[in-house]
Amino acid sequence: SDGSSNKLMSYNMSSGAISEISTFATGVNSWAAGGNNAVDSYGRVAYTISGTKLFKINLDDGTEESVTLDANPISIGWDSKNKKLYAVNNTDIVSINTSTGAFTVISSGTVPSTANYVQFIAPNDQRYYIQGSDVTRVFSLTDGSLLGSFTSILRAMPPGAVVLGSASTDDDESIAINIADPTSQIIKLG
């Protein structure tokens, strides 16, 4: 946000160039400290929330839509495998219908606390990691069950599938990764 104008920016990692894609949410200048953004990189849509309003911004042309949500969620996360938006709403995990703003409860009363708005969804098996004030809890988005927990760390990155390229034949495309999870995958597109 720059003054009262919210700008969606693009950063070119090769050249370092920064450009403005669009402005959005005109007149909204109150945003949560974190956890209020999610990106559907394949559908090319950025989601952000302010109160009970969900803004959907097209990453290619900057057009914007918005819907009113059933409630004011704490944070949102995008499930790239099932192409769904999820949220922590009070102590519940909910899925959000991005067309209507309606919530569907996945797990009720299972999130006792959140910390630093740190949460993410593992892309290959719909595990929802939510950092609490005491531990990070792992939930199944299939049935909402608690899969386990571990002592919270300062920040965590999503485990699971790593997706490279898009029909690239470049010999110099590479990635280095060290994940202990034996079910992790590397997926090459194209």
Side-chain angles (χ1 to χ4, degrees), residues 46-121:
Y47 297 96
T48 189
I49 53 173
S50 178
T52 58
K53 189 69 78 172
L54 173 68
F55 296 94
K56 305 178 285 184
I57 303 111
N58 182 301
L59 293 174
D60 294 320
D61 63 17
T63 56
E64 168 194 335
E65 295 177 50
S66 65
V67 296
T68 301
L69 300 172
D70 282 352
N72 181 0
I74 297 168
S75 60
I76 58 174
W78 181 256
D79 174 3
S80 59
K81 185 172 184 180
N82 285 334
K83 298 175 179 60
K84 287 186 177 181
L85 188 64
Y86 290 92
V88 176
N89 182 55
N90 296 319
T91 61
D92 300 340
I93 297 173
V94 299
S95 67
I96 299 175
N97 181 316
T98 60
S99 297
T100 66
F103 287 6
T104 300
V105 176
I106 304 299
S107 182
S108 180
T110 56
V111 184
S113 66
T114 59
N116 299 324
Y117 303 96
V118 176
Q119 46 84 49
F120 59 83
I121 297 170

